């Protein structure tokens, strides 16, 4: 999916940093944590209303402060610069290629066996951590291998946003292409995620695809709008205002790469997302959601992409 991305008014400016998930927990003062959510799906989509599973009280509204926004924008710029440099260089397009030989061989063997390879990343500036006061930045990268596929087979699935609610269910509840101009998409996605609490988000994404050669392609996705949904699916459903949501996802940026070799396609997705702090005393409720959702979501998105492409290839063979 794409990649899986999202931002509110303030987030719209972040999206210009230019867009299925990744995450890294950045240090915050004791007793505090943060939360995040999806992907990309496949680069994209997000949540909405905060619904509680066990009669717990929801966290209070969160405010995205300018200094938090600026820190995220800086982190995205540095990550974007590194991605662009790697694409220009054309070497080590897959992150496992930079591993020591033994680890690299194990990773390739696991991929050939259908497994997902994941790593937590941490973008730095001049060798220093990029602090994010008032928020937490999450950064993960994942990779799968789809045997027998071509780059075009993978792109057909990822660009079929009108059916992402089928390919990436239950994480994606609704999906629709709002507009398309060649390889430039604007997409709506509604995401559903549950882990102690349930979050539903409406999101919009700005996505560009780039064909680098017959065997290589990449894409860049930014969430341009993210808003929580209150009472989803009910007559009184509404999108929360920017001042009364829970801050479970403030921003998400996604980078995808597609490399056709070894008789198939390697699909790599890297996601940077931004979430709020966790109110003191609510770590028991929100903590599991925050610490595990980013990695789990990205892994799910990649495996769902692999499964869908293989299913379509099998269908074509059967004709």
């Amino acid at each position: 999916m794409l990649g899986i991305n999202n931002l509110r008014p303030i987030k719209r400016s972040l999206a210009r940093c230019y867009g299925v998930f990744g995450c890294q927990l950045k240090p915050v003062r004791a007793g505090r944590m943060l939360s995040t959510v999806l992907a990309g799906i496949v680069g994209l989509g997000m949540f909405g209303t905060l619904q509680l599973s066990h009669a717990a009280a929801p966290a209070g509204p969160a405010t995205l402060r300018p200094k938090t926004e600026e820190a995220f924008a800086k982190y995205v710029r540095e990550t974007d610069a590194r991605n662009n440099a790697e694409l220009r260089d054309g070497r080590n397009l897959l992150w496992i290629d930079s591993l020591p030989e033994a680890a690299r061989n194990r990773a390739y063997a696991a991929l050939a066996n259908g497994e997902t390879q994941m790593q937590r990343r941490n973008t730095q500036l001049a060798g220093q951590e990029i602090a994010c006061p008032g928020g937490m930045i999450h950064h993960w990268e994942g990779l799968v291998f789809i045997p027998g596929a071509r780059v075009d087979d993978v792109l057909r699935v990822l660009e079929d946003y009108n059916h992402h609610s089928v390919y990436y269910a239950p994480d994606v509840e609704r999906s629709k292409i709002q507009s398309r101009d060649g390889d430039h998409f604007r997409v709506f996605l509604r995401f559903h995620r549950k882990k102690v609490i349930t979050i539903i988000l409406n999101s919009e994404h700005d996505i560009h695809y780039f064909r680098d050669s017959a065997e290589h392609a990449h894409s860049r996705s930014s969430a341009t709008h993210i808003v929580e949904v209150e009472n989803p699916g009910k007559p009184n459903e509404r999108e929360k205002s920017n001042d009364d949501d829970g801050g479970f996802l403030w921003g998400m940026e996604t980078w995808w790469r597609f490399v056709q070799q070894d008789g198939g396609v390697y699909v790599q997705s890297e996601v940077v997302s931004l979430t709020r702090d966790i109110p003191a005393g609510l770590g028991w409720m929100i903590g599991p959601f925050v610490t595990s959702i980013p990695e789990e979501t990205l892994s799910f998105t990649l495996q769902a992409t692999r499964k869908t492409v293989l299913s379509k290839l099998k269908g074509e063979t059967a004709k």
Side-chain angles (χ1 to χ4, degrees):
M1 208 165 63
L2 273 302
I4 321 40
N5 299 239
N6 316 8
L7 314 174
R8 308 200 268 293
I10 274 187
K11 306 161 198 174
R12 297 168 207 238
S13 62
L14 291 178
R16 297 310 92 206
C17 303
Y18 227 30
V20 253
F21 291 55
C23 317
Q24 167 175 329
L25 304 180
K26 304 284 289 180
V28 290
R29 62 179 176 276
R32 313 273 306 211
M33 294 178 66
L34 294 170
S35 66
T36 188
V37 205
L38 288 200
I41 256 102
V42 165
L44 342 188
M46 293 301 107
F47 312 147
T49 222
L50 182 149
Q51 298 175 297
L52 300 163
S53 302
H54 306 297
T63 301
L64 176 57
R65 295 178 240 165
K67 61 182 180 181
T68 309
E69 176 187 10
E70 292 166 5
F72 184 67
K74 181 186 296 183
Y75 193 99
V76 170
R77 283 196 302 271
E78 293 302 311
T79 304
D80 215 22
R82 190 259 303 159
N83 266 280
N84 290 336
E86 290 174 349
L87 289 168
R88 285 194 303 269
D89 185 56
R91 293 186 301 167
N92 293 338
L93 293 178
L94 305 178
W95 67 265
I96 60 173
D97 287 337
S98 61
L99 296 173
E101 183 178 3
R104 183 170 65 251
N105 291 339
R106 287 194 298 271
Y108 271 109
L111 289 167
N113 198 38
E115 299 176 24
T116 304
Q117 294 297 290
M118 302 286 294
Q119 74 163 340
R120 178 178 290 171
R121 300 205 65 145
N122 180 20
T123 296
Q124 297 185 340
L125 179 60
Q128 300 295 316
E129 297 282 336
I130 299 176
C132 187
M136 179 176 284
I137 296 174
H138 312 266
H139 190 173
W140 281 92
E141 188 168 35
L143 178 65
V144 293
F145 177 67
I146 308 178
R150 300 165 300 166
V151 170
D152 287 340
D153 298 322
V154 180
L155 294 182
R156 269 195 294 271
V157 167
L158 293 182
E159 294 178 354
D160 186 14
Y161 293 104
N162 287 334
H163 292 94
H164 274 208
S165 58
V166 177
Y167 304 154
Y168 300 101
D171 284 357
V172 179
E173 288 189 346
R174 300 179 190 174
S175 57
K176 181 181 179 180
I177 296 176
Q178 296 175 315
S179 68
R180 178 178 184 178
D181 181 8
D183 294 324
H184 179 204
F185 294 77
R186 293 187 183 279
V187 175
F188 167 84
L189 294 172
R190 171 176 285 194
F191 280 76
H192 172 282
R193 198 63 177 172
K194 179 178 179 180
K195 200 176 187 76
V196 180
I197 60 175
T198 298
I199 301 296
I200 306 296
L201 294 176
N202 285 347
S203 65
E204 297 174 6
H205 308 267
D206 190 283
I207 309 153
H208 289 259
Y209 287 86
F210 305 90
R211 192 57 180 262
D212 306 307
S213 70
E215 293 81 25
H216 298 84
H218 71 280
S219 73
R220 182 72 175 87
S221 172
S222 288
T224 58
H225 179 71
I226 303 173
V227 63
E228 295 181 26
V229 180
E230 188 171 46
N231 304 316
K234 299 179 180 180
N236 60 340
E237 174 183 311
R238 74 174 183 92
E239 291 188 346
K240 289 191 174 185
S241 70
N242 301 323
D243 298 322
D244 70 352
D245 74 1
F248 287 94
L249 189 65
W250 278 332
M252 190 171 73
E253 304 288 322
T254 307
W255 297 258
W256 289 76
R257 296 181 189 176
F258 315 97
V259 177
Q260 183 175 320
Q261 64 184 37
D262 301 334
V265 176
Y266 292 93
V267 180
Q268 179 171 289
S269 182
E270 179 178 356
V271 184
V272 173
S273 55
L274 174 67
T275 62
R276 64 168 290 171
D277 284 328
I278 299 292
L282 288 181
W284 67 272
M285 180 179 72
I286 300 175
F289 189 97
V290 177
T291 56
S292 59
I293 284 294
E295 180 182 8
E296 290 176 3
T297 298
L298 178 57
S299 179
F300 169 80
T301 297
L302 288 167
Q303 280 295 334
T305 301
R306 183 179 189 276
K307 179 181 178 180
T308 301
V309 173
L310 288 175
S311 177
K312 289 184 176 295
L313 289 176
K314 183 178 180 181
E316 291 175 2
T317 303
K319 291 180 181 179

